[in-house]
Amino acid sequence: MPPPANGLVTVDGRFFRCGAQKFHVKGCTYGPFAPNAAGEPYPGQTRMRTDFRLLRELGANLIRVYHPPPRWILDMAGEEGLKVFVDIPWRKHTCWLDDEAAMREARESVAKAVRDTREHPAVFAFSVVNEIPPDIARWYGAAAIEEFVDELVDAGKQLDPHRLFTFANFPPTEFLRPRLLDFACFNVYLHDPRAFENYLARLQIIADEKPLMLGEFGMDSFREGPERQAEILGWHVETAFRGGAAGTILFSFTDDWFTGGHQIENWAFGLTDRARQPKPAFHAVQSRFTQAPHFPLPRTPRVSVVVASYNGARTLPACLESLGRLNYPDYEVILVDDGSTDDTPAIAKRYPHAGYIRQANWGLSYARNAGILAATGVIVAFTDSDCRADEDWLYYLVNDLLKSNAAGIGGPNYLPTEDNWIAAAVSTSPGAPSHVLLDDRAAEHVPGCNMAFWKWALEQIGGFDPIFRKAGDDVDVCWRLMENGHKIAFSPAAFVWHYRRCTVGAYLRQQRGYGEAEALLRNKHPEYFNAMGASIWHGVIYTRALQGIRVGRPVIYHGIFGCGLFQTLYAQQPAGMLNFITSLEYHALVIFPLLVLALLFSILWPLPAAALLASIAACAVAAAQAYIPMKQRRFWSRPLVALLYFLQPLFRGLERYQGRLQRRGTPWDALARAKALPPALRQTGQDAQLQLWSENGADRLRLLQALFDRLERDGWRHRSASAYEPSDIEVYGNRWNKVQVQTTDENHGGNKRLVRVRLRYQWTLAARVAFTVITAVILAIFGGLEKAGLKVAGYGILPLIPVASYFINLRARRLQRLVSTLVGDVAQRLGFVAVPSKSGESTKDSATEQAS
């Protein structure tokens, strides 16, 4: 395949690039006009030359035409420094999918347009269709329309593989999402600034990883007046570029417009009149085009960019180079080397623009906190050594942070096009870093490779928690900020390139690190996790990576009689059961028990085999649904994705449960100190209770705070329960048992309080897993002995199951008595009196009698 011809525009993340420079589209629609002498819907050469020079005076760099132009027009556009965006017309207003002739006409129109302009450097891109009528789209369904549009795009790329292709969409069919488009293009006519800004944010989410270009926007000065047109077009251009659009095209250059076989006389959308005299809108747009794309920010607070790196020498040079050429006036770069053993120190010396801090290998959170301490900026931004930032990263990040009332902000991270096919498969496999959005502007989580916070907000929550050495620190910070009443914003245009793991082993090691972080997060934020330890997100996860298997088609809102102005697609949520059968819990709770039963009863072997095949089939379905870029797709890409989908929950889940199974118990000396105290509770049972009477105003909150302080001081393993749990404190004795402390108050007037304390012992996860394994092993031995004719011996080992349960419960009850003793001692120091409940006597009378 030959290299792209000189001057061709390419896609670079959310923007376009022409050579080494970004290409921000600043365009106007041009024509169609009354046929010239050659029968072409364009003016003569003299008029066109004058028009092109006036367009350059406007500051435009592109024209959009609605008929494929002859090469002489492309040559002239190139001479005048203009790119040409070509619409390819065909009978899209008819039910073409039922008409072979119409479909053949569409294919031939695309093929001819591309062949006639093949590799011409003045051609910006082709639109294979402009505004499919919503009734037609609803008639055939989105899938059929998308398939045909992709067919046309693929046909064009076969003829000119380096050219960009799209289709011009508009709000009534925003649900159409063809897969092969190089960029998203939307014709939008919204004249209210707030409505336009909101819809632009929505379109940025719809565009996902692709550039968003506005294909048409205009206003009729014939009805609205020239000054109103100038005002609207002026703020439109500024809002579009501030919102991160890759460009905008205004409708239109001139009031001279010929369509449907006759000249249009009763509208005036042009920036110039029919005689090409500039209108007020021309000068308003000219001023904005001159400033675009970087309109002045309201202020430019100093930003400190912190890069935490551990053995990141492979990608660190690209990271530091990108951070040295950011389009932002006041920033610093701080590289924190977390005890790297590779060439990181030598690499740092080659980039003097980056401050360098070296520390022992204390982990990611320590490194980021070191960067915060060294930061001189009022905003602290973070990226990773395996990322390289877009040159406008800070501009958009700060712009969107300033116009929000958020404490922090983040943006997307994309797979670099130069990454290999394994990295492409990894990027679409589960577990990739991703952002979670609550709406088009607010985030629940932003990944650590692309996030920024006001420094005061980080200081307010004490920075990053050092327990997170490898991952999870970004999730913890976002959750803690939101718990403190702050918001996290999202900036779709502020992106970084994130190099993915380029080997299967590196990917699985990364997932193990994420599993370890999840175990830590669950201990700290249990309200965000379900019973199996998987995180619960209130927002929507946006990533190329698989988040689950989807069943059924998306739902589309069409409006009454299909007349909705904004016809929206709502994606189906991943199927819970199909996702469950790929999980570690499925293997442990379904496949493993069935395997044990099959060992006992050979006739049951088809059951574990079917269960395993169901899991493998689900992985194959997930791989089939995965999105893999065409340029990075290989024959074995999807089999690799299926394999990773199978392995990822096992490796990540094992590490997650290992963190929970290895939870350390309370040290022996702390338990011994509690044993030395006089017992305060004689009652036993899973839900033992203690009643505490106070006449000095002490209540349950004072008791809980004192108990928490005592547990901290004496070294007990404990945690405060979340706002979603009925208990108050959870105390761990050893790896096998724990006690939940729950309290309630009774107000008996004045300063008199009766505090009830419930102490509920429970098995830990480690105990439950151990008991399950012991039971399975005993049953397997029993089955083996029975087959060997030693049935009596088999019955002799079955009692070991209840014996194991008895000993675990015995240890749990001992812990319960120790915790009750500790609670009693703390309560006594606060002036509480332990009150036993008497049958047939009111609690109040019993308490009063005991106190006297």
Side-chain angles (χ1 to χ4, degrees):
M1 185 179 295
N6 184 38
L8 291 186
V9 177
T10 59
V11 166
D12 185 45
R14 300 302 298 262
F15 299 100
F16 302 113
R17 197 172 289 276
C18 188
Q21 301 298 317
K22 275 189 175 180
F23 183 79
H24 297 275
V25 172
K26 294 177 272 189
C28 284
T29 64
Y30 190 72
F33 302 96
N36 60 20
E40 302 159 339
Y42 293 99
Q45 293 194 26
T46 302
R47 166 62 76 183
M48 185 165 285
R49 179 77 68 175
T50 302
D51 287 349
F52 283 1
R53 290 178 177 172
L54 190 55
L55 281 160
R56 291 303 296 164
E57 183 182 334
L58 174 71
N61 57 14
L62 176 143
I63 59 171
R64 178 181 179 181
V65 298
Y66 295 94
H67 295 83
R71 292 191 76 91
W72 68 265
I73 292 180
L74 297 177
D75 293 339
M76 184 183 295
E79 292 167 5
E80 298 297 335
L82 293 170
K83 297 290 183 183
V84 183
F85 178 35
V86 181
D87 266 291
I88 303 175
W90 48 272
R91 287 186 288 158
K92 45 87 185 231
H93 59 282
T94 66
C95 292
W96 76 88
L97 288 179
D98 292 328
D99 187 344
E100 284 294 335
M103 289 193 290
R104 184 170 57 253
E105 174 193 322
R107 299 185 188 103
E108 291 173 352
S109 296
V110 170
K112 184 177 187 307
V114 176
R115 273 197 307 267
D116 290 349
T117 60
R118 179 180 168 84
E119 293 192 352
H120 197 293
V123 175
F124 164 73
F126 290 100
S127 171
V128 296
V129 60
N130 179 37
E131 295 188 0
I132 296 172
D135 289 350
I136 301 294
R138 190 171 65 128
W139 182 261
Y140 290 117
I145 299 292
E146 291 165 351
E147 182 179 354
F148 189 72
V149 171
D150 277 335
E151 179 188 337
L152 296 181
V153 170
D154 184 58
K157 285 188 174 293
Q158 294 294 327
L159 295 170
D160 197 349
H162 301 297
R163 191 71 63 192
L164 301 183
F165 287 83
T166 189
F167 100 98
N169 206 347
F170 70 142
T173 57
E174 73 167 38
F175 55 83
L176 294 176
R177 314 278 172 85
R179 299 296 294 271
L180 299 185
L181 306 182
D182 291 304
F183 61 96
C185 178
F186 273 83
N187 304 334
V188 179
Y189 291 81
L190 284 173
H191 297 155
D192 177 81
R194 178 63 61 86
F196 175 76
E197 187 176 3
N198 290 340
Y199 193 61
L200 179 63
R202 172 170 177 74
L203 291 181
Q204 286 283 26
I205 302 303
I206 291 174
D208 195 20
E209 299 185 4
K210 299 174 181 178
L212 169 66
M213 187 181 76
L214 301 174
E216 286 181 10
F217 182 95
M219 169 168 274
D220 182 8
S221 64
F222 185 82
R223 292 166 179 81
E224 301 290 341
E227 298 302 328
R228 175 69 171 159
Q229 181 194 34
E231 175 194 349
I232 295 293
L233 297 188
W235 65 247
H236 163 82
V237 173
E238 182 169 346
T239 302
F241 283 104
R242 283 190 185 275
T248 186
I249 301 174
L250 301 178
F251 188 91
S252 65
F253 169 66
T254 176
D255 289 344
D256 181 12
W257 193 42
F258 184 93
T259 187
H262 58 278
Q263 191 75 31
I264 305 300
E265 303 287 349
N266 62 347
W267 69 252
F269 276 76
L271 301 178
T272 66
D273 60 21
R274 289 176 177 78
R276 279 27 175 211
Q277 293 301 307
K279 294 151 64 171
F282 182 96
H283 301 293
V285 170
Q286 183 183 50
S287 172
R288 301 309 200 286
F289 273 177
T290 301
Q291 297 178 75
H294 299 119
F295 289 89
L297 299 176
R299 52 194 175 97
T300 54
R302 182 167 175 79
V303 180
S304 298
V305 180
V306 175
V307 181
S309 178
Y310 174 70
N311 288 344
R314 183 178 71 90
T315 55
L316 184 59
C319 174
L320 295 179
E321 284 176 13
S322 70
L323 295 177
R325 52 174 184 266
L326 299 179
N327 292 325
Y328 190 78
D330 188 9
Y331 74 99
E332 64 178 345
V333 179
I334 302 171
L335 171 63
V336 183
D337 181 357
D338 187 38
S340 298
T341 58
D342 59 8
D343 294 335
T344 294
I347 293 171
K349 292 179 181 179
R350 302 205 305 261
Y351 299 93
H353 68 272
Y356 181 65
I357 300 173
R358 183 172 174 83
Q359 65 177 32
N361 182 220
W362 292 332
L364 179 59
S365 291
Y366 262 111
R368 285 180 168 159
N369 284 338
I372 296 171
L373 287 174
T376 61
V378 297
I379 297 173
V380 185
F382 299 90
T383 190
D384 293 339
S385 59
D386 57 356
C387 296
R388 58 179 173 86
D390 176 72
E391 55 258 50
D392 294 318
W393 174 53
L394 281 188
Y395 172 82
Y396 289 112
L397 211 58
V398 174
N399 177 69
D400 289 335
L401 181 60
L402 290 177
K403 69 182 183 182
S404 72
N405 61 346
I409 194 168
N413 64 97
Y414 299 138
L415 174 73
T417 54
E418 64 267 24
D419 254 359
N420 63 23
W421 70 271
I422 297 178
V426 165
S427 73
T428 197
S429 299
S434 57
H435 49 277
V436 184
L437 298 188
L438 297 169
D439 57 40
D440 296 334
R441 289 193 179 91
E444 182 180 3
H445 165 251
V446 289
C449 61
N450 185 2
M451 61 185 184
F453 305 93
W454 292 105
K455 189 176 182 182
W456 61 259
L458 293 173
E459 291 173 342
Q460 185 183 88
I461 62 171
F464 293 88
D465 190 333
I467 67 170
F468 299 101
R469 290 182 51 86
K470 301 175 183 178
D473 58 313
D474 49 357
V475 179
D476 175 62
V477 160
C478 289
W479 284 347
R480 282 193 287 141
L481 284 170
M482 289 189 293
E483 287 166 1
N484 277 266
H486 299 301
K487 296 180 181 178
I488 309 297
F490 182 72
S491 176
F495 74 91
V496 299
W497 297 106
H498 188 192
Y499 293 94
R500 301 306 198 260
R501 300 301 188 266
C502 56
T503 66
V504 172
Y507 166 75
L508 294 177
R509 285 192 296 273
Q510 179 194 48
Q511 296 306 308
R512 288 183 61 189
Y514 288 165
E516 178 183 339
E518 281 181 328
L520 296 172
L521 284 167
R522 186 184 186 278
N523 291 339
K524 190 172 182 182
H525 304 277
E527 66 272 21
Y528 289 98
F529 291 83
N530 62 24
M532 293 190 299
S535 53
I536 300 172
W537 297 104
H538 301 291
V540 179
I541 301 174
Y542 286 88
T543 175
R544 176 189 296 177
L546 292 165
Q547 296 302 319
I549 305 166
R550 298 187 183 275
V551 178
R553 295 184 176 183
V555 177
I556 301 172
Y557 169 77
H558 292 289
I560 302 300
F561 301 135
C563 296
L565 179 59
F566 299 90
Q567 300 192 20
T568 306
L569 178 143
Y570 298 94
Q572 296 283 1
Q573 293 299 312
M577 181 54 67
L578 290 180
N579 293 328
F580 172 71
I581 65 176
T582 64
S583 67
L584 174 65
E585 291 78 10
Y586 176 77
H587 287 77
L589 301 177
V590 178
I591 295 180
F592 178 71
L594 289 176
L595 188 60
V596 172
L597 288 174
L599 290 172
L600 298 175
F601 309 101
S602 58
I603 195 173
L604 298 179
W605 270 109
L607 293 179
L612 180 61
L613 286 174
S615 182
I616 295 173
C619 295
V621 172
Q625 294 180 351
Y627 170 68
I628 305 173
M630 184 72 70
K631 295 178 181 179
Q632 295 164 305
R633 190 181 304 170
R634 302 291 185 273
F635 172 77
W636 43 85
S637 292
R638 295 197 187 279
L640 176 58
V641 171
L643 175 64
L644 296 181
Y645 201 95
F646 184 83
L647 295 177
Q648 188 265 354
L650 302 181
F651 277 75
R652 188 162 177 166
L654 282 171
E655 199 69 30
R656 184 173 67 239
Y657 279 105
Q658 184 176 356
R660 296 172 62 187
L661 292 170
Q662 291 181 342
R663 187 197 304 276
R664 292 179 295 167
T666 296
W668 175 254
D669 57 345
L671 295 172
R673 282 194 294 271
K675 287 181 179 179
L677 295 172
L681 181 68
R682 301 295 183 186
Q683 181 184 357
T684 59
Q686 188 169 6
D687 288 334
Q689 292 188 22
L690 178 64
Q691 298 183 140
L692 302 170
W693 176 259
S694 169
E695 295 187 1
N696 63 7
D699 59 8
R700 74 179 191 89
L701 295 180
R702 284 183 60 186
L703 176 67
L704 287 171
Q705 185 60 57
L707 177 61
F708 195 87
D709 293 342
R710 180 70 170 272
L711 293 168
E712 284 278 317
R713 190 193 72 189
D714 289 357
W716 288 71
R717 302 299 179 196
H718 67 286
R719 71 176 181 89
S720 58
S722 74
Y724 295 86
E725 295 178 275
S727 59
D728 300 308
I729 298 176
E730 202 167 73
V731 183
Y732 297 88
N734 54 34
R735 68 174 63 248
W736 310 116
N737 48 69
K738 61 184 178 180
V739 170
Q740 291 180 335
V741 181
Q742 184 181 11
T743 61
T744 187
D745 260 336
E746 287 185 14
N747 189 333
H748 291 273
N751 288 328
K752 297 179 181 180
R753 300 284 189 277
L754 181 71
V755 177
R756 296 179 184 268
V757 183
R758 175 182 289 146
L759 303 172
R760 174 178 296 165
Y761 70 79
Q762 289 187 339
W763 293 12
T764 62
L765 176 66
R768 294 195 296 270
V769 170
F771 182 75
T772 301
V773 172
I774 290 171
T775 301
V777 170
I778 290 174
L779 291 175
I781 295 174
F782 172 77
L785 292 173
E786 188 179 30
K787 287 183 178 179
L790 302 174
K791 195 171 184 179
V792 174
Y795 283 121
I797 67 168
L798 284 179
L800 292 177
I801 296 175
V803 168
S805 174
Y806 170 77
F807 276 107
I808 296 176
N809 282 327
L810 180 64
R811 297 294 299 270
R813 285 192 293 269
R814 287 176 181 174
L815 175 66
Q816 183 189 52
R817 285 195 291 269
L818 289 177
V819 175
S820 71
T821 299
L822 194 65
V823 170
D825 186 64
V826 169
Q828 186 177 11
R829 294 173 186 272
L830 292 176
F832 285 97
V833 176
V835 181
S837 178
K838 297 183 179 179
S839 178
E841 185 178 1
S842 74
T843 300
K844 178 180 176 181
D845 293 339
S846 174
T848 304
E849 178 185 334
Q850 182 72 19
S852 63

